[in-house]
Amino acid sequence: MDEVKVVVAHSERATLRVGDVFLKVDADQARLDAEVEAMSLAPIPTPDILWHKPPVLAIAALPGTTLGRLGGASAGSAAAWAAAGAAIRTLHDAPLPPRPGRAGRGIVALAAELDEECELLVTNGLLPADLVTHNRQVAEAALRPWTPAFTHGDLQIAHVFVDGNEVTGIIDWSEAGQGDALYDLATFTLGHEEHLDDVVAGYGTDIDLDVIHAWWSLRSLLVVRWLSEHGFDPFAPGCEVDVLRSRM
């Protein structure tokens, strides 16, 4: 019998692997429904859905390997990163899905959330005030009008699979929907700034790098406390706190 491997688990959801099948358990049915819908609409490779019986979604494993993970080295070639950039551009150019996604939060609400989180990071002693203040200033560039695109919403490099220089699929679509395209690009290159030029070359259009840098700061500021409270380590080498320090 195949072993049951816990891929990720916290109070909101869990993902298990049994052989070549992934079981996603999520108490939020709307989030699972959104993931199924997004995978059906995305014009790029996604995992095959084997069955969907809330609160569980079963999907098939993708061929190939991920490009890497935050805090770790990437084994992917420059061509593989460029291919990922091209796949992301294909997604962003697709017809809009019907609902907003994680990357589609409004500027006013996002700024208010960011200010609240920055205050908590300092008052709770998680991060020094100068680090938070400087990155809050850097993050301001992301708070601007944007044209909605079909976004993944959680495009970590661990969610992108490649075989050689070919993208074989992208997983974890629960945050997908209408949103800011540069949020996806920033999430994908977070902690791997050395591959940003390759991704932009594959994406094939001019990118405002100041906005990418701003999203690195903004996204990191928003998740440090949550990660710390849910069993993850944003202070690990190469992870979110190091990303914030790199902006100083």
Side-chain angles (χ1 to χ4, degrees):
M1 178 179 292
D2 290 312
E3 290 184 341
V4 177
K5 178 181 179 182
V6 178
V7 179
V8 63
H10 49 76
S11 59
E12 295 179 3
R13 59 189 116 168
T15 300
L16 311 175
R17 180 168 187 167
V18 185
D20 288 332
V21 177
F22 286 89
L23 302 174
K24 302 192 70 174
V25 184
D26 195 328
D28 186 341
Q29 182 173 339
R31 193 158 47 204
L32 277 184
D33 290 342
E35 180 160 11
V36 170
E37 178 184 66
M39 287 195 289
S40 71
L41 296 174
I44 55 180
T46 62
D48 291 333
I49 296 174
L50 303 177
W51 48 266
H52 176 208
K53 298 178 181 178
V56 182
L57 172 65
I59 60 176
L62 288 169
T65 59
T66 65
L67 270 172
R69 61 179 179 81
L70 183 62
S74 168
S77 66
W81 282 84
I88 296 168
R89 176 66 184 276
T90 298
L91 175 66
H92 290 167
D93 285 346
L96 292 176
R99 69 188 84 198
R102 181 70 174 169
R105 288 166 290 174
I107 296 173
V108 173
L110 188 58
E113 180 185 357
L114 179 60
D115 288 339
E116 180 181 4
E117 198 61 38
C118 287
E119 182 178 352
L120 288 170
L121 288 170
V122 175
T123 57
N124 291 348
L126 275 173
L127 294 176
D130 61 337
L131 183 66
V132 173
T133 299
H134 180 78
N135 276 277
R136 173 62 182 86
Q137 293 169 348
V138 173
E140 189 68 26
L143 303 174
R144 86 283 176 227
W146 40 267
T147 301
F150 189 155
T151 54
H152 180 278
D154 190 21
L155 199 60
Q156 305 172 45
I157 59 170
H159 293 162
V160 179
F161 282 72
V162 296
D163 186 1
N165 297 329
E166 178 185 357
V167 175
T168 57
I170 297 178
I171 64 172
D172 284 358
W173 291 81
S174 61
E175 308 288 355
Q178 298 179 27
D180 179 0
L182 296 194
Y183 178 91
D184 270 355
L185 289 173
T187 302
F188 183 60
T189 54
L190 185 76
H192 288 277
E193 186 171 358
E194 71 277 11
H195 291 295
L196 178 58
D197 288 345
D198 299 324
V199 173
V200 171
Y203 195 75
T205 189
D206 290 337
I207 297 296
D208 189 334
L209 296 182
D210 287 341
V211 176
I212 296 291
H213 299 158
W215 272 122
W216 287 344
S217 291
L218 199 160
R219 187 183 188 281
S220 298
L221 288 169
L222 288 183
V223 301
V224 165
R225 190 170 60 90
W226 186 93
L227 291 170
S228 299
E229 293 174 353
H230 288 78
F232 303 98
D233 186 7
F235 292 87
C239 292
E240 286 80 3
V241 175
D242 272 357
V243 170
L244 294 173
R245 290 171 178 151
S246 74
R247 298 296 101 206
M248 297 295 285

